[in-house]
Structures are given as structure tokens and as C-alpha cells.
């Protein structure tokens, strides 16, 4: 009987090899792994797992002419709306990691940074929709892990260097970049530098607010934005011996957003009597800089490299400066104060992380991971306010907020037959302290603990499909901008401020995942349910003629929906994409007596086509329906993105043209918003110019060749895949999460 089984296995293997040989004529291969599925088009493009998705940006032809934000529109479980706001797994509360390490700067400014960052700087984008116990508990939507382009630094055959130079020029932006990576023996390095200057055309906004006292305010604003952006990074790795390595990295990101414009305001009825009007010039400048540095040591504890230990230190600095000036043209009929106002605020967040992780197999079918992490985070705000050019101490504030977090976790993975189960617990204890050096507010300190569970179960239905069930609880700690009680009064009819009494938000997530893959078709579908009772929400209320906007733990939210990702090789020269989601939201708040609900859909559909003379064409239609907030809704949008590129001189030179436009509004994206409170209604319409075209040129150089062989042996292939996840021995399981 055993002999018969062996013969059948050999026959099946020969048949499978024959099929693969045939598929190779279409330049398509595929492979199946124990805990995930990798679908390959010439080179790996997407990896599907129960807990996460990995998009191989460096293997996508569109990456030559796109930004990271453009690529995110194609990534499963990620959506980007018409104003470039990013959602992961249906939530805007997510964490951004870079090479497996948390990056506060990118988390806080993901849209701006990814819009300026060229896709060629990124190797992979990992969407961790069900973060395990080893990840930080923060981020309701999960984790977006950006793997930067660099040398793997593992094989002696890669000794040498590779690099690229990039330049782009268009009607809305110009930029340039350089990248180099290399290896010499046990030493490896990589460096990235990018500059981009975005200068979109004028943005226009119309708004009207009516109040129950009969008053109406209509505003028309036209503004222009400029965003110079600079980013640089350096990574060094050294293989101490056959089982241990040390790695260091540093990155610097800086951008400045300036917005200059003019607003015209008309006020009439109710408290405004016969009415009056005024206008004012506004100037806003926002400067943000961030430094992140890390040092980590990793050691394998057995010759099979299945048992390992790692210790990591990370330092993050994020200084920010905001300047807002409103100069009013006075009107003697005005019944409100039109004194010129200026606000200068400085925020800074410093974070230290020290983490140790240990992973070891307990048997051939089980594995245990455990670790401890200490985070020391301090945020400060110093805000100065000026009235008519004179400093106002009463309206100014100096404030600090500290969080010290001690976390420990344990995660156990067990394979029983075809089932693979994973369960983990993470405990985080937070010590919080708030101090007011100047301004209204009382000092206070508190501490609290959060026990965060996670679990997943996966089962292969066949050689070409699998199914998984996931659960996790996530928390969201409010950041300094949410907590800061400073009242911004630069607009006399609308004041904004944070809420220092905010508490941690908890969310529970359940997901059912189905993956199906063949050499030509890949499908991934997910049904998910998310709910929480203490959600942080921005809300507005009208009081004493002023529209106040702040935050509160006031929301009960339930989100039920699903996502679908499809990648179909229709022909050897034609590939179709579909990335979309449909969600039903129900939001309510007893505190402000408000509730809302409705369906929302986001879809990106497109194709990649190889044209004669080996030109590469990509075209994508993006559409989004109305979305709902606690107090209202935002309208949907439609836009089109297209690019064409060609390589020359054995792929050393790439030239591409990319363009995008809004549909239905003269090339603009127009977003309408409606907000209704207990005693006011506010409607607005913002028109964002989207027509753009840019020329991209990339030159590649170097003396090493890329590895294209997919299989050496099962052990070797698994080892190479493990290293590519974290770069230079920084496996995701052993870097700070």
C-alpha cells in the first residue's frame, strides 16, 4: 500500500510539473505554502494569508510611474478616498510600520507622505488585518507595514551593488530620488533619498450654516497649497556569524504644507439682523519633521533556525510647528469681533522603545512566541495666541502629556491535521501624566491596563483554496492633537479644540477570509464585523453664536461588510484588477442624541496591458459612494488614473507618463458634506483639482543580478521568504511591534 501511495505521489508530481511547464509559457508560476499562498506573475506580486496580505510593489509595472498612495489604491483591504484619506480594513485608525518598526510620523501623516513618496522606494506593502499578540494593541484597522527597497544581504552571490536614479516633472509636482543598496561579504547597506514639491491648483470651498435662531452664514473660500517634501533613510547590516546579526537604520522625513487663500463671508437673519459681510486673507503653514533610528540584534538558537531571540531599540522624534494667520477687512456693520488673529503652536513627540522577543518550536506542529516591550512617549504643546499683533496670555497654553507603556505577550501556534490555529494574549499597562505649565487645566495622572486577545484558525479547502476565521481586539489611545485643550479661535465664528478627558477606545473585530488561487486567477474575499461602544468621534455644537468642534468618547459603532480582491490574467498580455468593499455602518451617540446609518462602497477596477513594442499600459477607474458620519454624510467621487511606460537598454532605463483626472466636474473631484446638530445645519462643497500629468524617468545601475529562481529546496525557499519579510535578518516576528 505504501508503495502504491508513493507511485501515485510521483505521478501527481510529474503531472503538476508538466502543468507548470505549460504555464511558464505564459510567464506565470505559482506556489503553495503551509500558512499562506503566494501568487506569482513572473515574480511574486501578492501573498494571501489569513491574517494579512502582502502586495509586492517592486514587481508591479505601475510602480515605475506611481506614488505609494497610488499603489495603496490597488492593495487589498485598503481604500483611499477623493481627498486622499486612507482607511485600512474599513478604519482610519491604523498604525504605520516601516520595516516592521512603528513609525509615528507616517501614522499621523500617512496621506501626505505616501502621496509624495515614489513607489520605487518601496519593496512590499503588508496589510496586517489581524495583528497577533506580538503587535502593539493600538490601531483599530490593523497595521500597514511598509517594507523599503533594499538589499536582502543574505547570499554571497549578491556581493556588489544596485541602485537607481529617478526624476519626475508634471503640471502639479516635480521630484527626484536616488537609491543604492549593496553587499560585501557579511556587510550590507542601503540608502534612499527623495525630494518632491507638490503645488496643486486652487481648491475652492462653499459652505452655508443655518441655526435655529434664524441666522445664516455663507462662506466662499479659494486657497492654494504647496508641499515640499524630503525623505532620506540609511540601513546597515552585519552578519556576525552564521547564527547572529546586527542591524542599524535611520530615517529622516520632513515636509512643509503652506496654504494661502481668501474667504468671503455673508451673515444675515436672526442675530445678524439685516446682515453684513466681510472678507479675510488666511495664511497657514505646517512644518513637520521626524527622525527614527533603530538598532537590533538577532540570534538563531539552533541550526535549523527555528528558535531565535532578538532585542531592539527604537528612537523617534517628531517636532511640529503650526502657524495660522487671519487678517480681516473690518465692516462697521459687523456684530462680531474682526480683530486680526494669529496662532503659533509647537508640538513635539519623543518616543523610546526597547523590546525583546523569543520564538521557539515546541514540537514539529507547534510554536511559541513571547516577548516584552517598554515604550516611553512624551508629547508637548506650546501654543501662543496673538490678537491684533499683541500676545494674549489668556488664550495661550503650554501643555505636556506622557505615556509610559509596559507590555508583554505570548502567542501559541498549533497545527492539527489540516487545521492551523493561533492564539495570543497581550497585556499593556499604561501610566499617563498630564501637566499644564500655562493655561486652563488641572494636572492629573492615572494608570490603567488593557488585556488584548487575538486568535485565528485556517484550513486548506483544496490545493488552490483556503479559508480562515479571525478575531482580535484593538485599542486606540488618543494622540496629542486629540487631547490638546488649546482653543483655536483664529476663525471668529468657529472654534476647534481637543479634549484632555478622552480615554482609550476599544474595538472588537471578527473576520471570515476565503482565498482562491489558480495560475491565472486569484480571489480573496473577507466578511468582517467590527463593533465598539466607546468610540472617539469628532463632533460639533453651536453655542453663543460660535460653532464648536471637539472630540469625545461618545460613539457606539457597528460596521458590517466585506471586501473583494481579484487579479485575473485574461491573456498573457492582459491582466485585470478589482479591489473593492461594501460596508453597512450604524453609528449612534446618547451623549449628543445623534445617530446615523447607511451603506458605503469603494471600488477600484482596472487593467494592465502589454502593447506592441513592449509598452506597458495601466488604466484604473476609482469610485466611492456616499459615506456616513455621526452627524451627517460626505458624497462620493469618481476618478481615472492611467499610465504608460517602456524600458530600454535591458531594463536599465524606464520612461513613463502618468495622468489622473476627476470625472464629471471638469477634471475636479467635488465632495459635498452635510452636518446636522441639535441647533444648526451645515452644508459644504469642496472642489479639489485633480487634472495632472507627469513624466517619470528612472535609470537603474549596478553589478549584481536579481535572483529569479523560485525553488531551490523547500527549506532554502522558506528561509529566503522569511528573510525577505523583514530585510537583513529582521524577521517580522523579531522586530518591535
Amino acid at each position: 500500500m505504501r508503495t502504491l501511495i508513493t507511485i501515485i505521489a510521483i505521478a501527481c508530481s510529474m503531472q503538476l510539473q508538466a502543468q507548470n511547464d505549460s504555464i511558464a509559457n505564459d510567464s506565470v508560476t505559482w506556489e503553495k505554502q503551509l500558512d499562506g499562498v503566494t501568487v506569482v506573475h513572473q515574480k511574486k506580486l501578492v501573498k494571501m494569508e489569513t491574517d494579512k496580505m502582502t502586495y509586492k510593489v517592486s514587481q508591479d509595472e505601475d510602480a515605475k510611474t506611481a506614488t505609494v498612495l497610488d499603489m495603496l489604491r490597488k492593495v487589498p483591504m485598503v481604500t483611499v478616498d477623493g481627498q486622499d484619506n486612507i482607511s485600512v480594513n474599513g478604519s482610519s485608525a491604523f498604525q504605520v510600520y516601516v520595516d516592521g518598526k512603528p513609525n509615528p510620523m507616517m501614522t499621523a501623516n500617512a496621506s501626505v507622505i505616501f502621496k509624495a513618496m515614489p513607489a520605487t522606494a518601496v519593496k512590499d506593502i503588508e496589510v496586517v488585518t489581524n495583528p497577533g499578540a506580538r503587535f502593539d494593541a493600538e490601531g483599530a484597522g490593523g497595521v500597514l507595514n511598509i517594507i523599503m527597497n533594499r538589499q536582502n544581504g543574505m547570499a554571497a552571490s549578491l556581493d556588489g551593488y544596485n541602485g537607481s536614479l529617478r526624476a519626475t516633472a508634471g503640471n502639479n509636482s516635480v521630484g527626484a530620488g536616488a537609491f543604492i543598496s549593496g553587499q560585501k561579504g557579511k556587510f550590507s547597506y542601503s540608502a534612499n533619498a527623495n525630494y518632491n514639491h507638490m503645488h496643486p491648483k486652487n481648491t475652492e470651498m462653499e459652505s452655508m450654516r443655518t441655526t435655529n435662531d434664524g441666522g445664516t452664514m455663507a462662506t466662499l473660500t479659494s486657497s492654494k497649497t504647496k508641499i515640499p517634501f524630503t525623505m532620506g533613510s540609511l540601513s546597515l547590516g552585519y552578519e556576525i556569524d552564521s547564527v547572529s546579526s546586527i542591524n542599524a537604520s535611520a530615517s529622516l522625513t520632513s515636509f512643509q504644507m503652506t496654504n494661502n487663500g481668501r474667504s468671503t463671508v455673508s451673515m444675515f437673519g436672526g442675530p445678524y439682523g439685516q446682515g453684513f459681510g466681510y472678507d479675510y486673507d488666511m495664511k497657514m503653514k505646517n512644518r513637520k519633521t521626524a527622525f527614527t533610528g533603530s538598532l537590533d540584534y538577532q540570534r538563531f538558537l539552533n541550526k535549523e533556525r527555528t528558535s531565535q531571540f532578538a532585542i531592539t531599540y527604537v528612537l523617534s522624534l517628531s517636532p511640529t510647528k503650526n502657524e495660522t494667520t487671519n487678517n480681516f477687512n473690518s465692516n462697521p456693520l459687523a456684530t462680531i469681533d474682526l480683530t486680526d488673529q494669529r496662532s503659533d503652536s509647537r508640538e513635539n513627540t519623543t518616543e523610546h522603545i526597547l523590546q525583546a522577543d523569543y520564538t521557539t518550536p515546541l514540537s514539529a506542529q507547534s510554536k511559541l512566541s513571547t516577548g516584552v516591550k517598554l515604550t516611553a512617549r512624551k508629547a508637548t504643546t506650546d501654543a501662543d495666541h496673538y490678537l491684533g499683533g499683541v500676545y494674549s496670555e489668556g488664550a495661550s497654553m503650554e501643555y505636556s502629556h506622557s505615556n509610559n507603556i509596559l507590555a508583554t505577550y505570548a502567542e501559541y501556534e498549533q497545527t492539527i491535521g489540516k487545521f492551523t490555529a493561533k492564539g495570543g494574549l497581550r497585556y499593556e499597562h499604561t501610566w499617563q501624566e498630564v501637566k499644564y505649565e500655562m493655561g486652563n487645566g488641572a494636572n492629573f495622572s492615572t494608570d490603567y491596563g488593557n488585556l488584548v486577545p487575538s486568535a485565528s484558525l485556517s484550513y486548506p479547502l483544496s490545493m488552490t483554496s483556503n479559508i480562515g476565521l479571525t478575531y482580535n481586539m484593538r485599542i486606540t489611545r488618543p494622540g496629542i492633537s486629540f487631547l490638546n485643550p488649546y482653543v483655536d479661535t483664529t476663525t471668529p465664528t468657529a472654534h476647534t479644540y481637543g479634549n484632555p478627558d478622552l480615554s482609550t477606545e476599544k474595538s472588537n473585530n471578527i473576520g471570515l477570509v476565503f482565498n482562491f488561487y489558480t495560475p491565472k486567477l486569484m480571489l480573496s474575499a473577507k466578511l468582517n464585523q467590527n463593533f465598539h461602544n466607546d468610540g472617539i468621534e469628532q463632533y460639533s455644537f453651536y453655542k453663543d453664536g460660535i460653532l464648536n468642534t471637539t472630540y469625545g468618547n461618545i460613539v457606539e459603532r457597528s460596521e458590517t461588510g466585506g471586501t473583494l480582491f481579484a487579479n485575473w490574467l485574461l491573456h498573457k498580455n492582459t491582466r485585470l484588477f478589482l479591489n473593492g468593499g461594501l460596508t453597512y455602518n450604524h453609528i449612534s451617540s446618547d451623549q449628543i442624541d445623534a445617530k446615523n446609518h447607511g451603506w458605503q462602497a469603494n471600488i477600484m477596477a482596472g487593467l494592465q496591458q502589454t502593447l506592441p513594442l513592449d509598452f506597458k499600459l495601466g488604466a484604473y477607474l476609482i469610485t466611492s459612494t456616499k459615506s456616513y458620519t455621526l452627524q451627517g454624510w460626505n458624497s462620493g467621487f469618481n476618478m481615472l488614473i492611467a499610465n504608460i511606460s517602456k524600458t530600454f537598454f535591458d531594463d536599465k532605463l524606464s520612461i513613463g507618463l502618468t495622468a489622473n483626472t476627476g470625472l464629471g466636474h471638469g477634471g475636479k473631484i467635488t465632495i459635498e458634506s452635510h452636518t446636522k446638530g441639535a441647533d444648526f445645519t451645515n452644508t459644504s462643497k469642496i472642489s479639489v483639482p485633480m487634472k495632472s500629468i507627469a513624466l517619470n524617468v528612472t535609470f537603474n545601475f549596478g553589478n549584481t543580478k536579481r535572483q529569479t529562481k523560485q525553488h531551490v529546496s523547500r527549506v532554502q525557499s522558506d528561509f529566503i521568504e522569511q528573510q525577505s519579510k523583514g530585510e537583513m535578518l529582521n524577521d517580522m516576528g523579531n522586530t518591535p511591534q
Side-chain angles (χ1 to χ4, degrees):
M1 182 66 178
R2 183 174 300 174
T3 303
L4 177 60
I5 293 174
T6 303
I7 293 173
I8 293 174
I10 293 173
C12 290
S13 178
M14 294 176 63
Q15 177 65 23
L16 182 59
Q17 181 61 46
Q19 291 175 356
N20 283 343
D21 290 341
S22 174
I23 293 166
N25 294 330
D26 288 338
S27 299
V28 181
T29 62
W30 66 281
E31 66 175 321
K32 179 177 182 294
Q33 295 181 340
L34 292 176
D35 61 345
V37 179
T38 301
V39 176
V40 183
H41 170 54
Q42 294 182 346
K43 294 182 180 180
K44 298 174 185 176
L45 183 60
V46 178
K47 181 177 180 180
M48 302 184 300
E49 298 176 73
T50 301
D51 293 342
K52 71 177 181 180
M53 290 281 185
T54 304
Y55 196 89
K56 305 285 186 178
V57 175
S58 61
Q59 309 304 334
D60 191 327
E61 288 290 335
D62 292 341
K64 298 175 182 177
T65 60
T67 66
V68 175
L69 190 71
D70 295 329
M71 301 306 296
L72 280 173
R73 299 182 190 275
K74 301 172 66 175
V75 175
M77 312 299 176
V78 178
T79 58
V80 183
D81 70 13
Q83 294 177 279
D84 297 333
N85 298 308
I86 303 169
S87 296
V88 175
N89 207 23
S91 174
S92 59
F94 59 90
Q95 294 288 309
V96 177
Y97 283 42
V98 176
D99 294 330
K101 301 176 179 68
N103 190 297
M105 173 68 158
M106 288 194 179
T107 298
N109 306 278
S111 176
V112 174
I113 293 176
F114 292 153
K115 191 173 183 178
M117 186 187 300
T120 51
V122 173
K123 180 183 178 185
D124 300 334
I125 297 176
E126 293 181 340
V127 186
V128 188
T129 55
N130 187 55
R134 67 183 60 185
F135 283 85
D136 279 345
E138 288 189 87
V143 173
L144 201 60
N145 186 30
I146 309 298
I147 305 297
M148 302 300 291
N149 228 336
R150 62 184 62 185
Q151 191 92 355
N152 282 343
M154 286 306 302
S157 61
L158 292 180
D159 271 7
Y161 65 92
N162 278 310
S164 64
L165 301 173
R166 176 183 177 273
T168 181
N171 62 323
N172 289 339
S173 65
V174 294
F179 162 72
I180 188 169
S181 68
Q183 179 179 335
K184 182 63 177 178
K186 296 182 177 182
F187 177 75
S188 60
Y189 62 89
S190 67
N192 243 316
N194 289 285
Y195 173 80
N196 186 277
H197 189 104
M198 293 179 285
H199 45 87
K201 297 179 180 179
N202 285 8
T203 297
E204 297 179 351
M205 185 178 72
E206 303 174 21
S207 66
M208 179 173 290
R209 187 176 77 214
T210 59
T211 55
N212 291 353
D213 58 12
T216 298
M217 184 179 73
T219 304
L220 176 63
T221 302
S222 178
S223 61
K224 189 171 185 178
T225 304
K226 295 181 179 179
I227 308 175
F229 171 89
T230 304
M231 183 186 73
S233 64
L234 174 66
S235 297
L236 303 174
Y238 182 73
E239 191 175 359
I240 300 173
D241 51 39
S242 61
V243 295
S244 59
S245 66
I246 189 169
N247 302 276
S249 66
S251 65
L252 182 67
T253 304
S254 177
F255 70 87
Q256 176 176 293
M257 181 185 298
T258 59
N259 187 291
N260 297 327
R262 187 175 183 83
S263 291
T264 301
V265 182
S266 299
M267 308 180 77
F268 52 89
Y272 310 124
Q274 296 299 315
F276 59 90
Y278 64 93
D279 53 48
Y280 62 96
D281 296 315
M282 59 180 184
K283 297 180 181 179
M284 291 184 288
K285 183 181 293 184
N286 179 274
R287 300 191 186 108
K288 296 192 175 185
T289 303
F291 169 82
T292 300
S294 68
L295 180 67
D296 59 82
Y297 168 79
Q298 176 175 308
R299 182 177 180 85
F300 292 102
L301 303 178
N302 58 2
K303 63 180 181 180
E304 295 83 10
R305 301 196 176 204
T306 54
S307 181
Q308 50 195 304
F309 169 79
I311 186 167
T312 303
Y313 170 73
V314 180
L315 169 66
S316 297
L317 305 172
S318 303
T320 299
K321 185 175 183 180
N322 301 301
E323 301 174 9
T324 302
T325 303
N326 287 339
N327 293 322
F328 296 90
N329 296 319
S330 62
N331 184 337
L333 300 177
T335 59
I336 62 174
D337 186 3
L338 295 178
T339 303
D340 291 346
Q341 301 201 38
R342 190 174 99 240
S343 174
D344 295 342
S345 66
R346 293 158 297 281
E347 297 178 357
N348 184 49
T349 300
T350 302
E351 184 174 86
H352 300 268
I353 296 174
L354 183 63
Q355 176 163 340
D357 298 276
Y358 173 70
T359 300
T360 187
L362 301 180
S363 68
Q365 290 79 34
S366 62
K367 181 175 68 174
L368 176 67
S369 299
T370 186
V372 62
K373 179 178 181 179
L374 175 64
T375 301
R377 181 186 304 158
K378 183 175 183 179
T380 61
T381 294
D382 183 4
D384 298 329
H385 195 81
Y386 298 84
L387 293 172
V390 178
Y391 175 71
S392 173
E393 182 175 348
S396 301
M397 177 167 289
E398 191 173 341
Y399 163 85
S400 68
H401 174 245
S402 299
N403 274 328
N404 294 317
I405 306 167
L406 180 62
T408 184
Y409 75 89
E411 189 171 70
Y412 178 74
E413 184 175 344
Q414 175 75 53
T415 300
I416 305 174
K418 291 186 176 181
F419 285 95
T420 298
K422 183 189 297 184
L425 279 176
R426 183 181 184 92
Y427 179 77
E428 295 188 349
H429 198 93
T430 302
W431 290 267
Q432 184 180 81
E433 185 178 33
V434 173
K435 290 184 178 180
Y436 295 87
E437 302 295 337
M438 182 176 67
N440 297 325
N443 298 345
F444 71 90
S445 61
T446 186
D447 68 284
Y448 56 88
N450 296 110
L451 185 62
V452 183
S454 61
S456 66
L457 180 67
S458 60
Y459 179 80
L461 297 173
S462 68
M463 288 283 290
T464 60
S465 63
N466 59 25
I467 192 170
L469 182 65
T470 64
Y471 165 78
N472 67 60
M473 190 184 87
R474 305 290 291 165
I475 67 174
T476 300
R477 296 184 182 90
I480 186 68
S481 60
F482 285 73
L483 295 163
N484 185 5
Y486 172 68
V487 181
D488 185 351
T489 61
T490 50
T491 301
T493 59
H495 296 172
T496 61
Y497 46 91
N499 179 2
D501 296 325
L502 290 177
S503 61
T504 300
E505 172 185 306
K506 304 179 184 68
S507 65
N508 293 275
N509 310 279
I510 301 172
L512 179 63
V513 184
F514 171 73
N515 296 321
F516 174 79
Y517 45 94
T518 69
K520 292 191 176 183
L521 176 65
M522 179 183 68
L523 291 173
S524 179
K526 181 179 181 181
L527 297 176
N528 56 273
Q529 174 68 49
N530 170 278
F531 54 92
H532 52 249
N533 299 324
D534 53 359
I536 298 173
E537 184 84 2
Q538 185 182 64
Y539 67 99
S540 300
F541 61 93
Y542 185 71
K543 183 179 180 181
D544 299 329
I546 303 296
L547 183 67
N548 294 262
T549 300
T550 186
Y551 303 89
N553 291 97
I554 62 172
V555 166
E556 294 183 10
R557 184 191 301 270
S558 173
E559 298 178 354
T560 305
T563 60
L564 176 65
F565 177 82
N567 186 325
W568 183 23
L569 187 68
L570 182 63
H571 180 268
K572 67 179 182 179
N573 292 327
T574 306
R575 179 175 291 276
L576 302 181
F577 286 89
L578 177 66
N579 187 23
L582 179 66
T583 304
Y584 180 79
N585 294 320
H586 187 277
I587 317 165
S588 63
S589 173
D590 293 336
Q591 290 89 332
I592 64 171
D593 191 24
K595 63 180 179 179
N596 207 354
H597 59 88
W599 289 94
Q600 177 184 352
N602 296 279
I603 299 173
M604 177 178 186
L607 70 89
Q608 287 182 338
Q609 178 71 44
T610 300
L611 302 174
L613 302 179
D614 204 32
F615 279 89
K616 308 291 185 181
L617 172 68
Y620 306 93
L621 175 65
I622 303 167
T623 185
S624 178
T625 64
K626 180 187 291 187
S627 60
Y628 295 88
T629 63
L630 176 63
Q631 293 181 290
W633 50 263
N634 299 311
S635 67
F637 70 95
N638 299 285
M639 65 180 295
L640 181 67
I641 299 176
N643 58 72
I644 188 169
S645 63
K646 180 174 173 56
T647 59
F648 303 88
F649 310 118
D650 295 328
D651 290 340
K652 289 186 177 181
L653 177 66
S654 175
I655 300 177
L657 199 64
T658 183
N660 61 66
T661 182
L663 299 178
H665 299 277
K668 298 180 179 180
I669 284 183
T670 299
I671 306 292
E672 297 182 16
S673 299
H674 179 85
T675 303
K676 183 175 178 57
D679 43 18
F680 78 95
T681 299
N682 195 83
T683 59
S684 66
K685 182 171 70 173
I686 182 171
S687 295
V688 182
M690 289 298 297
K691 275 188 176 180
S692 68
I693 187 168
L695 177 68
N696 303 273
V697 179
T698 302
F699 175 71
N700 300 308
F701 59 89
N703 60 7
T704 62
K705 295 183 179 180
R706 297 174 181 265
Q707 289 184 325
T708 58
K709 192 172 184 179
Q710 299 297 332
H711 296 277
V712 177
S713 69
R714 183 67 267 167
V715 174
Q716 179 68 10
S717 181
D718 283 345
F719 178 68
I720 293 175
E721 176 64 17
Q722 179 190 31
Q723 303 317 315
S724 68
K725 290 179 182 178
E727 309 300 332
M728 297 186 299
L729 290 176
N730 284 330
D731 175 41
M732 278 288 294
N734 302 286
T735 51
Q737 308 293 339

